[in-house]
Amino acid sequence: MQQRTLGKDGPAVSAIGIGAMSFADFYGPTNEGESHAIMDAALELGISHLDTSNIYGLGKSENAIGSFLAARGSAMRDRFSIATKAAITRDKDSGKLKFDNSTEHLTQELEASLKRLQTEAVDLFYVHRRDPGIEIEEVTETLAGLVRAGKTRAIGFSEIAPSSLRRASAIHPVTAVQSEYSLSTRFPDLGLVQTCAELGTTLVAFSPVGRGLLTDRPHSADAIAEISFLKTNPRFIEPNLSANFAATAPFRALAAEMGTSAAALSIAWLLTRGMHVLPIPGTRSVTHLRELAAGAALQLSDADMARIDAILPVGWAHGDRYADAQWVGPERYC
């Protein structure tokens, strides 16, 4: 497994990690045993980074990781780099989604995450979404305080703009920024990839296989109807869904011609975007995890890259990556 540095001066981690939203029923039902099997397979494959959040299954994902660490013994903790996030919550009166970047909220939520994860500190703690009522400099000071308190070894943000990253980095080193990034979602190429490289910040790429579109077995229309996020997402609603299936079919054929899977080829493409790019695919299947991990072993030539770009040029996807309601929170910058 290739290794990459987490942030400018951080630890070496595997070139791909695991997005642990998949441990929390987001793309279909799962259980603790299946999540433990994924983590066992990850160790076998040399995958050492786990990326979760307090809201994934309202703690289910963190609990699965914590119980795995407890069951495998104290030495297991050092074999994984663990990241978690906080800031997404709901208004007590209306029940509406809101973002809380206050020192009190982030501190309380991190303490609760540490209990679920059964660890004294995480390796990376992100602000999951920015609270527009609090300046990012103030939020960064809060995160820096959590580093000084020994609760997290490094800090990060999810779905922020390059300009916000620069402001935060002026206060304290930002180890990672998480953003959706794949052959189907290329907007980070318009500034975020470059700014992260300049500042020594790891770009943690979630949904690196396009929520299944960039695999050999994309979700069927029937499966999508059972997944609440996808059934309202523009790329998975007709006529866009059929158009996206057709657009990605030649990519699947190319992967087969190259003797690999579409998922592996998607991961390999992302890893060419810079040594600071770290894809975190999620899966509920050990077989799929092996496919994804195989992408880290692929070496793509200039000719390979040209063929991929010819099949899936920038802007090929039909439909936006989020519906209007799903766009609440991420910072738009281009």
Side-chain angles (χ1 to χ4, degrees):
M1 174 58 63
Q2 294 183 40
Q3 299 290 296
R4 304 229 157 155
T5 301
L6 192 60
K8 184 180 292 185
D9 302 309
V13 297
S14 53
I16 70 169
I18 293 177
M21 182 182 281
S22 56
F23 295 173
D25 306 326
F26 191 78
Y27 289 115
T30 189
N31 57 54
E32 191 173 85
E34 291 174 340
S35 297
H36 286 193
I38 292 290
M39 287 181 275
D40 277 327
L43 290 171
E44 176 191 336
L45 293 164
I47 297 172
S48 61
H49 185 68
L50 301 175
D51 198 298
T52 185
S53 171
N54 64 339
I55 64 162
Y56 295 166
L58 299 178
K60 180 176 180 178
S61 175
E62 290 179 331
N63 280 325
I65 295 170
S67 62
F68 177 84
L69 296 177
R72 301 304 189 272
S74 58
M76 184 57 62
R77 173 63 184 91
D78 293 336
R79 297 188 64 182
F80 280 114
S81 167
I82 298 176
T84 194
K85 300 178 281 291
I88 300 177
T89 185
R90 291 192 179 275
D91 185 84
K92 292 180 180 179
D93 297 324
S94 68
K96 291 183 178 180
L97 197 69
K98 71 172 189 176
F99 312 119
D100 189 343
N101 290 182
S102 67
T103 299
E104 179 183 17
H105 180 78
L106 294 176
T107 301
Q108 288 178 349
E109 290 302 313
L110 178 53
E111 289 285 2
S113 290
L114 294 177
K115 290 180 181 178
R116 287 189 290 268
L117 290 164
Q118 302 192 47
T119 187
E120 294 182 356
V122 289
D123 299 281
L124 174 63
F125 182 56
Y126 303 90
V127 169
H128 207 159
R129 292 289 186 269
R130 277 203 62 194
D131 175 354
I134 303 178
E135 297 293 342
I136 198 166
E137 289 83 358
E138 182 179 342
V139 180
T140 307
E141 291 283 10
T142 293
L143 295 175
L146 294 171
V147 173
R148 291 191 295 271
K151 301 298 182 180
T152 182
R153 298 182 178 94
I155 67 170
F157 291 87
S158 182
E159 298 262 50
I160 63 169
S163 56
S164 295
L165 172 58
R166 291 185 184 280
R167 290 171 58 191
S169 295
I171 305 300
H172 187 278
V174 177
T175 292
V177 169
Q178 188 184 79
S179 184
E180 183 173 356
Y181 189 30
S182 70
L183 274 163
S184 58
T185 298
R186 297 284 296 273
F187 76 96
D189 286 329
L190 299 178
L192 191 61
V193 172
Q194 297 87 341
T195 304
C196 284
E198 175 189 337
L199 297 175
T201 297
T202 295
L203 175 53
V204 177
F206 71 83
S207 298
V209 294
R211 304 187 190 276
L213 280 175
L214 300 169
T215 70
D216 291 332
R217 297 170 296 279
H219 297 292
S220 67
D222 289 342
I224 290 166
E226 299 299 320
I227 301 172
S228 58
F229 178 88
L230 292 186
K231 70 182 181 182
T232 60
N233 184 281
R235 291 185 178 172
F236 295 87
I237 297 172
E238 294 293 1
N240 291 339
L241 179 62
S242 292
N244 286 327
F245 282 166
T248 53
F251 180 72
R252 285 186 277 278
L254 174 62
E257 180 185 329
M258 295 173 66
T260 190
S261 68
L265 189 56
S266 300
I267 295 294
W269 179 88
L270 260 178
L271 291 174
T272 70
R273 310 309 287 175
M275 289 298 293
H276 63 301
V277 176
L278 173 63
I280 52 165
T283 183
R284 295 173 293 136
S285 161
V286 171
T287 299
H288 293 170
L289 181 65
R290 295 187 189 283
E291 286 185 2
L292 294 158
L298 290 178
Q299 298 294 320
L300 300 182
S301 66
D302 290 344
D304 295 331
M305 294 294 288
R307 294 182 72 187
I308 292 169
D309 285 340
I311 291 170
L312 295 178
V314 176
W316 67 266
H318 296 255
D320 199 352
R321 74 179 183 105
Y322 282 152
D324 288 344
Q326 294 164 348
W327 261 117
V328 176
E331 292 187 339
R332 302 194 191 202
Y333 54 88
C334 57

